[in-house]
Amino acid sequence: MGTAPRLPSALVTSLLRRRAGLPQVVRVDGRSLRISRWPGGRHVAQVGPVPGEAPPSPELLVAAVDDLAALGFDDVMTTALHPSEHRPFVDAGFAERDRLVLLRRDLTELPPSPPVALRTARRREWPRLAEVDQQAFPPGWGLDASGISDAFAATPFGRVRAAGRPACGYAVSGRSRSRGYLQRLAVEPSASGRGVGRALVIDALRWLAARGATDCLVNTQETNRRALDLYLSLGFAELPERLMILGRSRDEAP
Ligand SMILES: CC(C)(COP(=O)(O)OP(=O)(O)OC[C@H]1O[C@@H](n2cnc3c(N)ncnc32)[C@H](O)[C@@H]1OP(=O)(O)O)[C@@H](O)C(=O)NCCC(=O)NCCS
């Protein structure tokens, strides 16, 4: 693995101790790494490159995995990586955990809003939305309230919309300049198949268009046929590149 980098260890450790749960950026020798908790599991951390900064080296990643293991994080997952971002992670012993399809839609010719009552969800309701999320997604892939908060904060302008009271479905969407993002969508299984998911997506598209976005991106697991059918039926088209989530357990050597 070559020589160890100049110590990220103490830095990672102290940052995580001080503000555990919040995303942290570690910079070593001009390389950057974003570290946070994996929103779906208490002993899982998440790492990823920092947009616009030099990618982490394999050595920095190995050191970070070791430090995170010492802090009790048995498993480390990446953010959704573009193929051009895989290399240092693979060299540090990370392997594929999931593949995501990226879809895009121009914000023209929007469908009319279906007759499903939606409202803006207040922050105090986010723990309930996390319950919806955890019921909707497979074990380990659901968001907790801080994961919803991260999704909301991922773009300069965002909003969280919900259906039902108590909420049975919700969506987080966001905008950065003219680009819109559907960051998260979940409907609890007991309420699914009644048009709530479709209404939440249309609501997000219409809001983004009204705020000046020209297109919307969304990603979903390659195996999530139901969500893919929903997006395709609403005019999204698959982009050729696949995003990947990689992972490494504490005991897996690079
Ligand atoms: C995907 C999801 C949001 C759909 O929500 P929903 O409220 O059940 O969806 P809707 O009732 O609006 O149906 C929308 C489309 O979903 C698909 N769908 C709905 N129920 C379905 C079922 N029982 N079987 C297969 N497809 C179904 C259909 O394509 C449907 O289109 P239609 O309205 O022309 O029939 C919901 O199933 C869910 O939360 N899944 C888990 C989390 C997830 O996948 N999130 C999105 C990806 S990140």
mmCIF file of all heavy atoms in Angstrom, residues 100-107 179 201 205 215-220 225 227-242:
data_model
loop_
_atom_site.group_PDB
_atom_site.id
_atom_site.type_symbol
_atom_site.label_atom_id
_atom_site.label_comp_id
_atom_site.label_asym_id
_atom_site.label_seq_id
_atom_site.Cartn_x
_atom_site.Cartn_y
_atom_site.Cartn_z
ATOM 1 N N LEU A 100 -26.660 1.920 -8.848
ATOM 2 C CA LEU A 100 -27.780 2.859 -8.964
ATOM 3 C C LEU A 100 -27.946 3.306 -10.410
ATOM 4 O O LEU A 100 -26.952 3.522 -11.120
ATOM 5 C CB LEU A 100 -27.521 4.100 -8.098
ATOM 6 C CG LEU A 100 -27.232 3.857 -6.619
ATOM 7 C CD1 LEU A 100 -26.885 5.168 -5.942
ATOM 8 C CD2 LEU A 100 -28.423 3.206 -5.940
ATOM 9 N N VAL A 101 -29.189 3.429 -10.817
ATOM 10 C CA VAL A 101 -29.501 3.981 -12.128
ATOM 11 C C VAL A 101 -29.756 5.474 -11.943
ATOM 12 O O VAL A 101 -30.438 5.879 -10.999
ATOM 13 C CB VAL A 101 -30.788 3.337 -12.689
ATOM 14 C CG1 VAL A 101 -31.130 3.913 -14.050
ATOM 15 C CG2 VAL A 101 -30.637 1.840 -12.760
ATOM 16 N N LEU A 102 -29.203 6.254 -12.847
ATOM 17 C CA LEU A 102 -29.420 7.699 -12.802
ATOM 18 C C LEU A 102 -30.416 8.050 -13.907
ATOM 19 O O LEU A 102 -30.242 7.617 -15.054
ATOM 20 C CB LEU A 102 -28.073 8.386 -13.025
ATOM 21 C CG LEU A 102 -27.946 9.868 -12.809
ATOM 22 C CD1 LEU A 102 -28.321 10.264 -11.387
ATOM 23 C CD2 LEU A 102 -26.492 10.302 -13.088
ATOM 24 N N LEU A 103 -31.441 8.807 -13.547
ATOM 25 C CA LEU A 103 -32.459 9.194 -14.545
ATOM 26 C C LEU A 103 -32.611 10.706 -14.570
ATOM 27 O O LEU A 103 -32.367 11.389 -13.558
ATOM 28 C CB LEU A 103 -33.814 8.570 -14.202
ATOM 29 C CG LEU A 103 -33.880 7.055 -14.116
ATOM 30 C CD1 LEU A 103 -33.912 6.618 -12.665
ATOM 31 C CD2 LEU A 103 -35.101 6.511 -14.845
ATOM 32 N N ARG A 104 -33.032 11.188 -15.727
ATOM 33 C CA ARG A 104 -33.149 12.633 -15.901
ATOM 34 C C ARG A 104 -34.440 12.959 -16.647
ATOM 35 O O ARG A 104 -34.862 12.185 -17.516
ATOM 36 C CB ARG A 104 -31.946 13.112 -16.717
ATOM 37 C CG ARG A 104 -31.906 14.559 -17.009
ATOM 38 C CD ARG A 104 -30.715 14.924 -17.895
ATOM 39 N NE ARG A 104 -30.933 16.243 -18.408
ATOM 40 C CZ ARG A 104 -31.714 16.535 -19.431
ATOM 41 N NH1 ARG A 104 -32.309 15.588 -20.112
ATOM 42 N NH2 ARG A 104 -31.899 17.782 -19.806
ATOM 43 N N ARG A 105 -35.015 14.109 -16.298
ATOM 44 C CA ARG A 105 -36.206 14.562 -17.021
ATOM 45 C C ARG A 105 -36.110 16.064 -17.223
ATOM 46 O O ARG A 105 -35.784 16.809 -16.292
ATOM 47 C CB ARG A 105 -37.463 14.256 -16.197
ATOM 48 C CG ARG A 105 -38.768 14.483 -16.952
ATOM 49 C CD ARG A 105 -39.927 14.639 -15.990
ATOM 50 N NE ARG A 105 -41.221 14.463 -16.622
ATOM 51 C CZ ARG A 105 -41.825 15.381 -17.383
ATOM 52 N NH1 ARG A 105 -41.240 16.566 -17.617
ATOM 53 N NH2 ARG A 105 -43.020 15.136 -17.907
ATOM 54 N N ASP A 106 -36.412 16.502 -18.471
ATOM 55 C CA ASP A 106 -36.554 17.943 -18.710
ATOM 56 C C ASP A 106 -37.817 18.406 -18.012
ATOM 57 O O ASP A 106 -38.819 17.679 -17.993
ATOM 58 C CB ASP A 106 -36.704 18.219 -20.212
ATOM 59 C CG ASP A 106 -35.354 18.185 -20.910
ATOM 60 O OD1 ASP A 106 -34.358 18.568 -20.269
ATOM 61 O OD2 ASP A 106 -35.318 17.761 -22.074
ATOM 62 N N LEU A 107 -37.787 19.636 -17.499
ATOM 63 C CA LEU A 107 -38.968 20.120 -16.773
ATOM 64 C C LEU A 107 -39.912 20.875 -17.700
ATOM 65 O O LEU A 107 -40.290 22.023 -17.450
ATOM 66 C CB LEU A 107 -38.531 20.950 -15.576
ATOM 67 C CG LEU A 107 -37.815 20.116 -14.504
ATOM 68 C CD1 LEU A 107 -37.320 20.985 -13.363
ATOM 69 C CD2 LEU A 107 -38.736 19.017 -13.981
ATOM 70 N N ARG A 179 -30.532 23.123 -11.885
ATOM 71 C CA ARG A 179 -30.687 21.667 -11.812
ATOM 72 C C ARG A 179 -31.529 21.269 -10.605
ATOM 73 O O ARG A 179 -31.284 21.721 -9.480
ATOM 74 C CB ARG A 179 -29.309 21.021 -11.735
ATOM 75 C CG ARG A 179 -29.369 19.545 -11.464
ATOM 76 C CD ARG A 179 -28.346 18.791 -12.240
ATOM 77 N NE ARG A 179 -28.719 18.587 -13.637
ATOM 78 C CZ ARG A 179 -27.941 17.973 -14.522
ATOM 79 N NH1 ARG A 179 -26.758 17.553 -14.169
ATOM 80 N NH2 ARG A 179 -28.347 17.785 -15.759
ATOM 81 N N VAL A 201 -43.948 12.819 -6.733
ATOM 82 C CA VAL A 201 -42.963 13.120 -7.791
ATOM 83 C C VAL A 201 -43.454 14.294 -8.635
ATOM 84 O O VAL A 201 -42.698 15.242 -8.907
ATOM 85 C CB VAL A 201 -42.703 11.885 -8.691
ATOM 86 C CG1 VAL A 201 -41.703 12.250 -9.797
ATOM 87 C CG2 VAL A 201 -42.167 10.711 -7.882
ATOM 88 N N LEU A 205 -41.629 17.917 -9.283
ATOM 89 C CA LEU A 205 -41.296 18.425 -10.627
ATOM 90 C C LEU A 205 -41.902 19.814 -10.841
ATOM 91 O O LEU A 205 -41.245 20.722 -11.357
ATOM 92 C CB LEU A 205 -41.814 17.464 -11.710
ATOM 93 C CG LEU A 205 -41.219 16.047 -11.719
ATOM 94 C CD1 LEU A 205 -41.897 15.192 -12.792
ATOM 95 C CD2 LEU A 205 -39.717 16.076 -11.947
ATOM 96 N N ASP A 215 -34.122 20.927 -15.449
ATOM 97 C CA ASP A 215 -34.246 19.469 -15.485
ATOM 98 C C ASP A 215 -34.163 18.912 -14.064
ATOM 99 O O ASP A 215 -33.882 19.648 -13.111
ATOM 100 C CB ASP A 215 -33.205 18.817 -16.417
ATOM 101 C CG ASP A 215 -31.778 18.944 -15.921
ATOM 102 O OD1 ASP A 215 -31.549 19.561 -14.855
ATOM 103 O OD2 ASP A 215 -30.875 18.419 -16.575
ATOM 104 N N CYS A 216 -34.460 17.631 -13.959
ATOM 105 C CA CYS A 216 -34.458 16.988 -12.640
ATOM 106 C C CYS A 216 -33.738 15.643 -12.742
ATOM 107 O O CYS A 216 -33.959 14.888 -13.699
ATOM 108 C CB CYS A 216 -35.899 16.777 -12.168
ATOM 109 S SG CYS A 216 -36.012 15.929 -10.574
ATOM 110 N N LEU A 217 -32.873 15.380 -11.784
ATOM 111 C CA LEU A 217 -32.170 14.089 -11.721
ATOM 112 C C LEU A 217 -32.697 13.295 -10.539
ATOM 113 O O LEU A 217 -33.047 13.852 -9.495
ATOM 114 C CB LEU A 217 -30.666 14.303 -11.513
ATOM 115 C CG LEU A 217 -29.856 14.921 -12.642
ATOM 116 C CD1 LEU A 217 -28.386 15.010 -12.221
ATOM 117 C CD2 LEU A 217 -29.983 14.123 -13.925
ATOM 118 N N VAL A 218 -32.702 11.989 -10.699
ATOM 119 C CA VAL A 218 -33.055 11.107 -9.591
ATOM 120 C C VAL A 218 -32.235 9.834 -9.758
ATOM 121 O O VAL A 218 -31.884 9.467 -10.885
ATOM 122 C CB VAL A 218 -34.567 10.806 -9.578
ATOM 123 C CG1 VAL A 218 -35.028 10.026 -10.802
ATOM 124 C CG2 VAL A 218 -34.971 10.060 -8.319
ATOM 125 N N ASN A 219 -31.859 9.201 -8.670
ATOM 126 C CA ASN A 219 -31.236 7.887 -8.829
ATOM 127 C C ASN A 219 -31.961 6.880 -7.959
ATOM 128 O O ASN A 219 -32.592 7.227 -6.957
ATOM 129 C CB ASN A 219 -29.729 7.920 -8.556
ATOM 130 C CG ASN A 219 -29.392 8.173 -7.115
ATOM 131 O OD1 ASN A 219 -29.803 7.417 -6.239
ATOM 132 N ND2 ASN A 219 -28.650 9.241 -6.848
ATOM 133 N N THR A 220 -31.875 5.630 -8.382
ATOM 134 C CA THR A 220 -32.511 4.570 -7.616
ATOM 135 C C THR A 220 -31.765 3.264 -7.836
ATOM 136 O O THR A 220 -31.007 3.129 -8.804
ATOM 137 C CB THR A 220 -34.006 4.444 -7.995
ATOM 138 O OG1 THR A 220 -34.637 3.545 -7.091
ATOM 139 C CG2 THR A 220 -34.201 3.911 -9.408
ATOM 140 N N ARG A 225 -37.455 -2.115 -9.443
ATOM 141 C CA ARG A 225 -38.289 -2.062 -10.644
ATOM 142 C C ARG A 225 -39.469 -1.105 -10.457
ATOM 143 O O ARG A 225 -39.858 -0.366 -11.361
ATOM 144 C CB ARG A 225 -38.766 -3.480 -10.944
ATOM 145 C CG ARG A 225 -39.247 -3.771 -12.338
ATOM 146 C CD ARG A 225 -38.178 -3.540 -13.379
ATOM 147 N NE ARG A 225 -38.461 -2.344 -14.185
ATOM 148 C CZ ARG A 225 -37.599 -1.806 -15.042
ATOM 149 N NH1 ARG A 225 -36.401 -2.323 -15.203
ATOM 150 N NH2 ARG A 225 -37.916 -0.732 -15.736
ATOM 151 N N ALA A 227 -39.856 1.579 -8.532
ATOM 152 C CA ALA A 227 -39.511 3.003 -8.624
ATOM 153 C C ALA A 227 -39.113 3.359 -10.058
ATOM 154 O O ALA A 227 -39.501 4.418 -10.574
ATOM 155 C CB ALA A 227 -38.389 3.327 -7.656
ATOM 156 N N LEU A 228 -38.366 2.461 -10.707
ATOM 157 C CA LEU A 228 -37.957 2.750 -12.090
ATOM 158 C C LEU A 228 -39.184 2.901 -12.982
ATOM 159 O O LEU A 228 -39.261 3.827 -13.793
ATOM 160 C CB LEU A 228 -37.065 1.614 -12.623
ATOM 161 C CG LEU A 228 -35.627 1.630 -12.113
ATOM 162 C CD1 LEU A 228 -34.909 0.333 -12.503
ATOM 163 C CD2 LEU A 228 -34.883 2.828 -12.689
ATOM 164 N N ASP A 229 -40.170 2.001 -12.817
ATOM 165 C CA ASP A 229 -41.394 2.095 -13.630
ATOM 166 C C ASP A 229 -42.103 3.421 -13.379
ATOM 167 O O ASP A 229 -42.609 4.056 -14.303
ATOM 168 C CB ASP A 229 -42.352 0.940 -13.294
ATOM 169 C CG ASP A 229 -41.887 -0.364 -13.917
ATOM 170 O OD1 ASP A 229 -40.970 -0.335 -14.755
ATOM 171 O OD2 ASP A 229 -42.434 -1.423 -13.537
ATOM 172 N N LEU A 230 -42.127 3.819 -12.120
ATOM 173 C CA LEU A 230 -42.781 5.088 -11.788
ATOM 174 C C LEU A 230 -42.071 6.249 -12.497
ATOM 175 O O LEU A 230 -42.715 7.078 -13.153
ATOM 176 C CB LEU A 230 -42.770 5.288 -10.264
ATOM 177 C CG LEU A 230 -43.237 6.635 -9.743
ATOM 178 C CD1 LEU A 230 -44.668 6.937 -10.173
ATOM 179 C CD2 LEU A 230 -43.149 6.685 -8.208
ATOM 180 N N TYR A 231 -40.741 6.297 -12.381
ATOM 181 C CA TYR A 231 -39.998 7.414 -12.998
ATOM 182 C C TYR A 231 -40.129 7.389 -14.527
ATOM 183 O O TYR A 231 -40.319 8.425 -15.161
ATOM 184 C CB TYR A 231 -38.528 7.372 -12.583
ATOM 185 C CG TYR A 231 -38.318 7.545 -11.090
ATOM 186 C CD1 TYR A 231 -37.379 6.782 -10.394
ATOM 187 C CD2 TYR A 231 -39.076 8.459 -10.373
ATOM 188 C CE1 TYR A 231 -37.198 6.935 -9.022
ATOM 189 C CE2 TYR A 231 -38.905 8.610 -9.007
ATOM 190 C CZ TYR A 231 -37.970 7.839 -8.339
ATOM 191 O OH TYR A 231 -37.806 8.003 -6.987
ATOM 192 N N LEU A 232 -40.024 6.194 -15.115
ATOM 193 C CA LEU A 232 -40.113 6.113 -16.583
ATOM 194 C C LEU A 232 -41.508 6.543 -17.050
ATOM 195 O O LEU A 232 -41.634 7.258 -18.041
ATOM 196 C CB LEU A 232 -39.794 4.691 -17.061
ATOM 197 C CG LEU A 232 -38.334 4.248 -16.830
ATOM 198 C CD1 LEU A 232 -38.158 2.763 -17.152
ATOM 199 C CD2 LEU A 232 -37.352 5.080 -17.663
ATOM 200 N N SER A 233 -42.523 6.146 -16.293
ATOM 201 C CA SER A 233 -43.890 6.507 -16.711
ATOM 202 C C SER A 233 -44.134 8.004 -16.573
ATOM 203 O O SER A 233 -45.064 8.546 -17.153
ATOM 204 C CB SER A 233 -44.921 5.713 -15.904
ATOM 205 O OG SER A 233 -45.047 6.271 -14.607
ATOM 206 N N LEU A 234 -43.292 8.670 -15.789
ATOM 207 C CA LEU A 234 -43.447 10.121 -15.623
ATOM 208 C C LEU A 234 -42.494 10.905 -16.529
ATOM 209 O O LEU A 234 -42.296 12.096 -16.348
ATOM 210 C CB LEU A 234 -43.220 10.498 -14.158
ATOM 211 C CG LEU A 234 -44.416 10.195 -13.254
ATOM 212 C CD1 LEU A 234 -44.058 10.351 -11.791
ATOM 213 C CD2 LEU A 234 -45.599 11.111 -13.608
ATOM 214 N N GLY A 235 -41.873 10.217 -17.485
ATOM 215 C CA GLY A 235 -41.088 10.924 -18.488
ATOM 216 C C GLY A 235 -39.596 11.002 -18.203
ATOM 217 O O GLY A 235 -38.855 11.651 -18.943
ATOM 218 N N PHE A 236 -39.123 10.369 -17.140
ATOM 219 C CA PHE A 236 -37.674 10.319 -16.911
ATOM 220 C C PHE A 236 -37.054 9.332 -17.903
ATOM 221 O O PHE A 236 -37.698 8.354 -18.306
ATOM 222 C CB PHE A 236 -37.356 9.826 -15.493
ATOM 223 C CG PHE A 236 -37.522 10.862 -14.425
ATOM 224 C CD1 PHE A 236 -38.766 11.078 -13.835
ATOM 225 C CD2 PHE A 236 -36.435 11.619 -13.992
ATOM 226 C CE1 PHE A 236 -38.930 12.028 -12.839
ATOM 227 C CE2 PHE A 236 -36.588 12.572 -12.997
ATOM 228 C CZ PHE A 236 -37.828 12.781 -12.417
ATOM 229 N N ALA A 237 -35.795 9.580 -18.276
ATOM 230 C CA ALA A 237 -35.067 8.644 -19.133
ATOM 231 C C ALA A 237 -33.773 8.255 -18.433
ATOM 232 O O ALA A 237 -33.144 9.089 -17.756
ATOM 233 C CB ALA A 237 -34.757 9.302 -20.472
ATOM 234 N N GLU A 238 -33.385 6.995 -18.593
ATOM 235 C CA GLU A 238 -32.146 6.515 -17.949
ATOM 236 C C GLU A 238 -30.932 7.138 -18.613
ATOM 237 O O GLU A 238 -30.854 7.198 -19.834
ATOM 238 C CB GLU A 238 -32.020 4.994 -18.113
ATOM 239 C CG GLU A 238 -32.831 4.224 -17.126
ATOM 240 C CD GLU A 238 -32.568 2.719 -17.226
ATOM 241 O OE1 GLU A 238 -31.426 2.315 -17.551
ATOM 242 O OE2 GLU A 238 -33.528 1.968 -16.988
ATOM 243 N N LEU A 239 -29.958 7.563 -17.823
ATOM 244 C CA LEU A 239 -28.679 8.011 -18.351
ATOM 245 C C LEU A 239 -27.762 6.790 -18.435
ATOM 246 O O LEU A 239 -27.944 5.811 -17.692
ATOM 247 C CB LEU A 239 -28.072 9.077 -17.441
ATOM 248 C CG LEU A 239 -28.881 10.383 -17.337
ATOM 249 C CD1 LEU A 239 -28.235 11.360 -16.364
ATOM 250 C CD2 LEU A 239 -29.041 11.027 -18.709
ATOM 251 N N PRO A 240 -26.777 6.827 -19.359
ATOM 252 C CA PRO A 240 -25.980 5.622 -19.571
ATOM 253 C C PRO A 240 -25.116 5.215 -18.372
ATOM 254 O O PRO A 240 -24.908 4.031 -18.123
ATOM 255 C CB PRO A 240 -25.091 5.962 -20.773
ATOM 256 C CG PRO A 240 -25.203 7.433 -20.963
ATOM 257 C CD PRO A 240 -26.468 7.909 -20.314
ATOM 258 N N GLU A 241 -24.618 6.201 -17.603
ATOM 259 C CA GLU A 241 -23.692 5.808 -16.542
ATOM 260 C C GLU A 241 -24.417 5.253 -15.319
ATOM 261 O O GLU A 241 -25.498 5.712 -14.973
ATOM 262 C CB GLU A 241 -22.766 6.960 -16.146
ATOM 263 C CG GLU A 241 -23.440 8.160 -15.553
ATOM 264 C CD GLU A 241 -23.689 9.252 -16.572
ATOM 265 O OE1 GLU A 241 -23.975 8.898 -17.738
ATOM 266 O OE2 GLU A 241 -23.615 10.436 -16.215
ATOM 267 N N ARG A 242 -23.826 4.254 -14.710
ATOM 268 C CA ARG A 242 -24.340 3.689 -13.466
ATOM 269 C C ARG A 242 -23.525 4.268 -12.309
ATOM 270 O O ARG A 242 -22.299 4.353 -12.409
ATOM 271 C CB ARG A 242 -24.157 2.174 -13.438
ATOM 272 C CG ARG A 242 -25.071 1.431 -14.405
ATOM 273 C CD ARG A 242 -26.467 1.370 -13.830
ATOM 274 N NE ARG A 242 -27.377 0.580 -14.628
ATOM 275 C CZ ARG A 242 -28.109 1.054 -15.643
ATOM 276 N NH1 ARG A 242 -28.021 2.315 -15.996
ATOM 277 N NH2 ARG A 242 -28.928 0.270 -16.310
#
